[in-house]
Amino acid sequence: SLRVDLRQMNIAGPEQTVTNAVSNGTTYDISFWIRMDNAPEIVTIELKCETTAGVFQSNFEATAGTNWTQISGQLTPNWDSGATLTQGKFRIITNTSTQGFRLDDAWMTTAEDALVIGPIPGTWRREAQ
């Protein structure tokens, strides 16, 4: 888990470098739990890709509450086909306030990498498929 506080600007938030995990045009499933300290707020989930042709961003917004709220969505980075990715960053920021918040159980994966656990036909077992 991560506690985010003492922010001076709303765009100050946790950031993770994901350069080696990001591919152009690939859709990523994003999920995490968040809890705002003072009041519900809209948060922006952003994937920022710096390339040899410039900076390209994909993002989505969701409302986070003062109780633990699960946020899920998808991001698809796209940049010029001839460009090379130099840095990829994933971050979460608030849209208006500088209030603190907590994050837990964050992940980013492609649909192809997702592990699906389901019933095995004709049995009571559940296994990865």
Side-chain angles (χ1 to χ4, degrees):
S1 65
L2 176 66
R3 175 149 175 74
V4 181
D5 61 2
L6 303 174
R7 300 176 334 138
Q8 298 298 310
M9 299 183 329
N10 70 304
I11 59 171
E15 183 175 272
Q16 176 70 46
T17 298
V18 293
T19 307
N20 294 333
V22 176
S23 298
N24 192 12
T26 300
T27 298
Y28 296 92
D29 294 321
I30 310 292
S31 181
F32 58 91
W33 288 84
I34 187 169
R35 187 177 90 184
M36 304 307 297
D37 284 351
N38 302 321
E41 180 156 2
I42 296 174
V43 295
T44 298
I45 299 83
E46 177 183 274
L47 186 55
K48 180 178 178 181
C49 297
E50 298 174 15
T51 74
T52 54
V55 177
F56 299 86
Q57 294 182 173
S58 58
N59 60 55
F60 68 90
E61 294 181 340
T63 301
T66 55
N67 292 318
W68 284 106
T69 306
Q70 185 176 25
I71 305 290
S72 298
Q74 293 185 321
L75 295 173
T76 305
N78 286 298
W79 58 82
D80 295 343
S81 60
T84 301
L85 179 66
T86 57
Q87 188 168 57
K89 292 184 178 183
F90 171 80
R91 73 178 185 159
I92 300 168
I93 59 174
T94 53
N95 283 17
T96 56
S97 80
T98 59
Q99 71 175 303
F101 58 93
R102 296 174 186 185
L103 291 172
D104 199 8
D105 197 24
W107 54 265
M108 180 176 105
T109 186
T110 63
E112 300 87 48
D113 292 337
L115 179 64
V116 177
I117 297 179
I120 304 301
T123 73
W124 289 95
R125 293 185 328 201
R126 296 180 72 79
E127 295 182 7
Q129 300 176 7

